[in-house]
Amino acid sequence: MRYIPPMAPHHDDWSTRHSVLTTARRTAALLNVLAADRPAATDVAAVLRAYGEAEPFDLTAGDVARMRTAGALLRPVFAAEHADAAAATLNRLLRDHAGPLRLTSHGGSTPWHPHLDRDDDAPWDVWFIASSCMALGGRRWGPPPPPPPGGARGGGGFVGWGSERGRGAGPGG
């Protein structure tokens, strides 16, 4: 059997910054900031920055409003009491809002990686749903998370699977 030597993680490693867990946490952090009555583009940009997304963001108030609507569609995945309900919601979102699985390197600026949006220049809300569905689908292969604080109608998003149970999903958690 051929063994691949272990690789030490690098703090600025693109793959680590865009792992399934990190992307699921980014989704929860975005849900939390978008839950505000009037989320500011600068607050959304701060979350994107904290989770390693490339600038410039050029977010408009309209982008943020559409991301907020997208977040409302994603929130039931976090609030689902059972994996079956979460999977059904993810399947509906994938059917209604995602494109076919494709690989991209964003014109050579990143390592090759999967995307479910239809274009590298997809609108922010389309990107948010597609990337979140991919990450949350990957996370659903494990045990389900606890419900978000405040229940399905309010409160923040939370990612707490496996060894991560009980940890918040914000940039520090």
Side-chain angles (χ1 to χ4, degrees):
M1 176 179 264
R2 182 175 162 206
Y3 291 94
I4 299 172
M7 295 177 61
H10 184 271
H11 178 68
D12 197 33
D13 178 52
W14 186 94
S15 295
T16 301
R17 288 183 290 121
H18 292 84
S19 70
V20 170
L21 177 58
T22 300
T23 304
R25 286 180 172 167
R26 183 201 64 210
T27 298
L30 284 169
L31 285 177
N32 291 339
V33 76
L34 292 166
D37 285 337
R38 292 188 179 114
T42 55
D43 294 336
V44 174
V47 171
L48 296 172
R49 191 175 301 107
Y51 283 88
E53 294 302 326
E55 295 190 58
F57 301 124
D58 299 325
L59 288 164
T60 68
D63 292 329
V64 172
R66 287 184 293 278
M67 287 179 78
R68 191 166 195 252
T69 299
L73 298 174
L74 289 162
R75 188 168 293 283
V77 177
F78 286 88
E81 293 186 26
H82 302 286
D84 291 350
T89 301
L90 284 169
N91 281 334
R92 182 181 47 76
L93 291 171
L94 288 166
R95 182 188 66 236
D96 296 346
H97 300 281
L101 180 64
R102 65 186 180 84
L103 296 174
T104 183
S105 69
H106 298 281
S109 65
T110 67
W112 286 97
H113 61 282
H115 263 242
L116 287 174
D117 50 11
R118 290 176 173 83
D119 187 272
D120 283 355
D121 294 322
W124 282 106
D125 57 313
V126 173
W127 165 85
F128 182 35
I129 289 178
S131 64
S132 297
C133 284
M134 186 177 310
L136 295 172
R139 295 300 294 163
R140 279 295 162 182
W141 292 328
R153 292 180 183 232
F158 192 89
V159 178
W161 291 266
S163 64
E164 301 298 321
R165 187 170 300 285
R167 292 193 56 194

